[in-house]
Amino acid sequence: MKSRSSLRSLKHRPGSIVVRRRGRTFVINKRSPHWNGRQS
């Protein structure tokens, strides 16, 4: 999982979903988990 300052590039990937958990923003991609990301 990549920790990034901006998730804009990750959320445009096919199959990605933006989720908010515990005050953090996550991008979850089940199609290609290489594009998972977290923003603090």
Side-chain angles (χ1 to χ4, degrees), residues 1-32:
M1 180 180 297
K2 298 175 181 163
S3 181
R4 304 176 65 116
S5 56
S6 175
L7 297 178
R8 187 176 298 159
S9 60
L10 291 183
K11 74 179 184 183
H12 292 305
R13 308 276 173 189
S16 62
I17 307 164
V18 180
V19 181
R20 288 202 171 121
R21 294 178 189 160
R22 291 176 249 107
R24 294 184 175 171
T25 310
F26 293 84
V27 172
I28 299 166
N29 197 325
K30 294 199 171 171
R31 258 191 246 175
S32 56

